[in-house]
């Protein structure tokens, strides 16, 4: 039973990170129907920004927790700026182009950013400091659930609650939902759709940056390629839950996290990705719109 | 109030509006009638800035608006109820109304106007927390008109408000359109396929064919015009 609990909690932690990144995919897709392939790179850039910030702050002798908070903040600001700029450069000029064009542009941007970080940093894995301290009250549970995992779970939960409040209760959140449901009508009531798209990219990027910092600190090393794997996994989570659906992205993240965790624990860790993507294939065959997605007819 | 001068609008290579000129005076109800594909909806979308004209001028209160973005046009006082209603399906009735008031910041005025539209369409009051997509066609049309009114427009553009509705509901909606026009002094630009209905409600009318305005007159004179009778009134 203890082993099961451990796997369950491990899956929950992992899933919450997938959910956090998947939200960015699903929100962007909901508004402009684009799979934003640079999203994983935003996550990677967030991790690197946090690493640089943390290294500097360590020199000044700050404690771990304050470094974590400040590094996350810098990463969030930096990644959001990247997300905003990428949309303006790579997607906005293609707003009225055929759907394939922005997709290719996204893949190109993703390759560009990976190689930019490769050149600016290094191709090797670089160590990332463990920024989450060992909490004393977690000592008794350490063998099944670490302090770092607790921190991940708490942070992602808080961030997701804030996000849903923004989307539910603020005027901008309402405009985001309206734009996702009927873009032309949103324009007809006076929504500046370009602004809403920018806001969506900024929010999605901020979430990815938080995910990047948390995971980097938990795993302890990063390189230019981590965004690709994380991006593919989170994209899988978004599709599992039903792309375009915000609760779907969260659910998809957890389902994927548990699948991987239990598959690793009960079968073999070599098969982690096999199970993740087998699940994706099965969902696509039997429920193409995803768990919470609605199959809709093409709008005319 | 609104003036279109030789407006041309194209979709790709297809010219939907081949140079139309019209004028709407403050306080009146004007109607634009014509068969399917004549360019009526394109005319409204050009005014709203969704499909900006390729050539020509659109003036509102003397100011050119044909280069403005749709949200700027709304802020100048033009609201549209598009064909097919376009209710935000997953937003509640209240949220749909608040979206109509998106560019306004006067909370009290918004609350007052919500009461006003609930007075116009009492049935919406009972549905206020229901998702827009779950309303019947008639209720959606009422909500769409209410949402447009929430912007406090000086000019209300209505595209086929009678489409697919039961005659009783159509009558109710047209009564309200007339009431808005007299009570709120809102100028109304009505596009309809149901020419008989539209000409009875309107002061003046324009007839459109293949992207051109072919006839313009007082509504009662259009109603008795032989050509209009034959082509659009089925007489």
């Amino acid at each position: 039973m203890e082993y099961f609990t451990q796997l369950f909690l491990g899956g929950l932690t992992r899933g919450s990170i997938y959910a956090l990144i998947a939200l960015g995919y699903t929100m962007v897709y909901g508004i402009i129907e684009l799979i934003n392939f640079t999203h994983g790179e935003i996550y990677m850039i967030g991790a690197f920004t946090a690493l640089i910030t943390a290294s500097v702050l360590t020199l000044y002798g700050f404690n771990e927790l304050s470094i974590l908070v400040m590094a996350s903040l810098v990463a969030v600001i930096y990644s959001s700026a990247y997300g905003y700029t990428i949309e303006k450069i790579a997607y906005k000029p293609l707003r009225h182009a055929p759907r394939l064009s922005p997709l290719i542009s996204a893949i190109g941007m993703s390759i560009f950013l990976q190689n930019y970080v490769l050149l600016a940093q290094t191709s090797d894995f670089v160590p990332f400091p463990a920024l989450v301290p060992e909490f004393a009250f977690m000592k008794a549970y350490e063998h099944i659930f670490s302090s770092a995992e607790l921190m991940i779970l708490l942070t992602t939960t808080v961030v997701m609650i804030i996000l849903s409040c923004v989307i539910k209760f603020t005027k901008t959140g309402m405009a985001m939902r309206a734009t996702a449901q009927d873009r032309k009508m949103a324009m007809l009531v006076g929504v500046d759709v370009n602004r809403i798209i920018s806001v969506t990219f900024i929010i999605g990027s901020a979430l990815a940056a938080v995910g990047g910092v948390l995971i980097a600190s938990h795993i302890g090393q990063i390189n230019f390629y981590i965004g690709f794997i994380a991006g593919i996994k989170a994209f899988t989570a978004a599709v599992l839950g039903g792309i375009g659906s915000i609760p779907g992205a969260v659910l998809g993240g957890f389902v994927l996290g548990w699948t991987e965790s239990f598959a690793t624990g009960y079968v073999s860790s070599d098969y982690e990705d096999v199970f993740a993507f087998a699940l994706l294939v099965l969902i696509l065959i039997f429920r193409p719109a995803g768990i919470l997605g609605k199959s809709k007819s093409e709008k005319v | 109030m609104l003036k279109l001068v030789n407006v041309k609008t194209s979709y790709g290579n297809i010219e939907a509006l081949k140079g139309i000129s019209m004028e709407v005076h403050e306080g009146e109800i004007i109607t634009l009638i014509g068969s399917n594909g004549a360019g009526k909806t394109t005319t409204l979308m050009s005014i709203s800035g969704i499909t900006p004209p390729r050539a020509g001028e659109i003036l509102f209160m003397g100011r050119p608006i044909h280069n403005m973005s749709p949200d700027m046009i709304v802020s100048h006082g033009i609201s549209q109820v598009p064909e097919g209603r376009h209710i935000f399906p997953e937003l509640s009735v209240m949220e749909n109304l608040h979206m109509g008031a998106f560019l306004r910041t006067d909370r009290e005025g918004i609350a007052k106007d919500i009461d006003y539209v609930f007075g116009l369409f009492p049935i919406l009051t009972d549905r206020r927390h229901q998702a827009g997509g779950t309303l019947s066609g008639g209720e959606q049309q009422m909500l769409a008109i209410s949402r447009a009114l929430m912007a406090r427009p000086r000019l209300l553009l209505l595209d086929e408000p009678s489409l697919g509705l039961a005659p009783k509901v159509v009558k109710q909606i047209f009564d309200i359109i007339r009431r808005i026009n007299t009570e709120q002094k809102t100028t109304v630009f009505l596009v309809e396929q149901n020419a008989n209905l539209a000409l009875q409600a309107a002061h003046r009318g324009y007839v459109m064919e293949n992207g051109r305005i072919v006839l313009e007159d007082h509504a009662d004179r259009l109603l008795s015009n032989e050509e209009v009778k034959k082509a659009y009134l089925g007489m």
Side-chain angles (χ1 to χ4, degrees), chain B residues 93 118 121-128 135 139 142-143 146:
Chain B
V93 167
F118 280 159
F121 301 109
I123 192 154
L124 293 180
T125 320
D126 311 329
R127 304 261 187 272
R128 60 206 302 164
L135 303 187
E139 290 164 354
M142 294 174 197
L143 178 56
S146 304

Side-chain angles (χ1 to χ4, degrees), chain B residues 36-196:
Chain B
N36 241 339
K40 301 180 305 269
T41 296
T42 308
T43 306
L44 292 192
M45 288 301 175
S46 295
I47 297 170
S48 283
I50 302 287
T51 52
R54 189 172 52 76
E57 279 192 315
I58 302 176
L59 305 168
F60 184 63
M61 316 295 292
R63 210 179 288 145
I65 59 165
H66 49 269
N67 287 328
M68 286 185 187
S69 60
D71 50 299
M72 284 298 289
I73 292 171
V74 175
S75 72
H76 277 80
I78 302 181
S79 285
Q80 188 184 150
V81 180
E83 184 181 348
R85 322 185 237 284
H86 286 265
I87 293 304
F88 299 114
E90 285 159 46
L91 299 192
S92 70
V93 167
M94 279 303 256
E95 286 177 320
N96 267 284
L97 292 176
H98 277 288
M99 279 311 294
F102 185 73
L103 292 176
R104 291 173 59 184
T105 46
D106 55 323
R107 278 165 169 265
E108 282 169 32
I110 293 173
K112 222 185 236 168
D113 286 356
I114 288 180
D115 287 342
Y116 176 73
V117 297
F118 280 159
L120 290 177
F121 301 109
I123 192 154
L124 293 180
T125 320
D126 311 329
R127 304 261 187 272
R128 60 206 302 164
H129 299 300
Q130 222 167 298
T134 63
L135 303 187
S136 73
E139 290 164 354
Q140 286 195 0
Q141 188 64 61
M142 294 174 197
L143 178 56
I145 293 173
S146 304
R147 180 179 57 191
L149 289 177
M150 287 305 297
R152 281 217 183 144
R154 306 164 83 145
L155 173 64
L156 179 64
L157 311 175
L158 288 161
D159 197 350
E160 306 271 7
S162 75
L163 196 74
L165 301 183
K168 205 179 140 192
V169 182
V170 172
K171 189 184 170 297
Q172 191 191 350
I173 283 177
F174 271 75
D175 285 344
I176 294 290
I177 293 171
R178 266 182 237 123
R179 201 171 136 193
I180 295 163
N181 178 246
T182 47
E183 269 179 20
Q184 300 278 304
K185 308 272 173 273
T186 308
T187 311
V188 177
F189 187 142
L190 174 66
V191 160
E192 259 294 347
Q193 275 199 54
N194 187 338
N196 194 18

Side-chain angles (χ1 to χ4, degrees), chain A residues 48 57 76 84 140 143 149 169 184 187 206 231 261 291 299:
Chain A
F48 268 100
L57 291 177
V76 161
Y84 173 85
H143 55 296
E149 286 175 309
F169 301 118
K184 198 197 265 180
M187 290 163 86
S261 183
I291 304 169
K299 275 184 217 154

Side-chain angles (χ1 to χ4, degrees), chain B residues 196-218:
Chain B
N196 194 18
L197 196 66
L199 289 172
Q200 279 173 19
H203 303 112
R204 289 191 306 122
Y206 288 84
V207 181
M208 193 168 204
E209 260 170 37
N210 289 324
R212 288 196 174 85
I213 301 286
V214 292
L215 214 55
E216 169 198 353
D217 213 333
H218 287 282

Side-chain angles (χ1 to χ4, degrees), chain A residues 53-261:
Chain A
T53 315
S55 311
V56 173
L57 291 177
T58 311
L59 294 180
Y60 287 96
F62 287 92
N63 69 23
E64 287 164 326
L65 216 51
S66 57
I67 292 179
L68 177 67
V69 172
M70 281 188 275
S72 302
L73 273 179
V74 175
V76 161
I77 293 166
Y78 213 75
S79 290
S80 297
Y82 261 91
Y84 173 85
T85 313
I86 290 168
E87 192 271 326
K88 287 276 177 278
I89 294 174
Y91 306 145
K92 193 169 175 239
L94 298 169
R95 196 66 52 79
H96 301 287
R99 275 177 75 168
L100 204 53
S101 311
L103 200 66
I104 294 167
S105 178
I107 294 170
M109 205 63 188
S110 161
I111 295 170
F112 170 79
L113 288 173
Q114 276 179 29
N115 286 281
Y116 159 66
V117 175
L118 168 68
L119 287 174
Q121 301 291 327
T122 164
S123 63
D124 300 323
F125 270 100
V126 286
F128 195 101
L131 294 176
V132 182
E134 298 294 333
F135 300 120
F137 62 88
M138 288 297 289
K139 261 272 177 302
Y141 312 101
E142 219 168 35
H143 55 296
I144 51 169
F145 198 56
S146 72
S147 297
E149 286 175 309
L150 177 72
M151 185 57 108
I152 290 176
L153 206 52
L154 283 178
T155 312
T156 50
T157 309
V158 169
V159 167
M160 283 191 254
I161 288 171
I162 294 173
L163 177 71
S164 35
C165 287
V166 166
I167 289 175
K168 251 210 176 86
F169 301 118
T170 68
K171 203 170 171 181
T172 301
M174 186 164 73
M176 287 171 73
R177 284 182 288 148
T179 307
Q181 288 168 33
D182 193 330
R183 188 183 339 172
K184 198 197 265 180
M185 193 60 230
M187 290 163 86
L188 281 176
V189 294
V191 176
D192 179 353
V193 170
N194 283 326
R195 195 184 75 91
I196 293 298
I197 292 171
S198 291
V199 170
T200 307
F201 271 85
I202 288 172
I203 294 179
S205 304
L207 299 180
V210 172
V213 179
L214 290 173
I215 275 290
S217 165
H218 183 44
I219 294 185
Q221 55 174 12
I222 55 174
N223 79 345
F224 73 99
Y225 204 58
I226 56 166
F228 179 74
I229 306 293
I232 291 273
K233 290 281 177 66
F235 171 62
T236 304
V239 173
L240 270 180
I243 192 137
S245 157
I246 288 177
V250 176
L251 181 65
F254 286 128
V255 169
L256 188 69
W258 280 318
T259 306
E260 286 190 359
S261 183

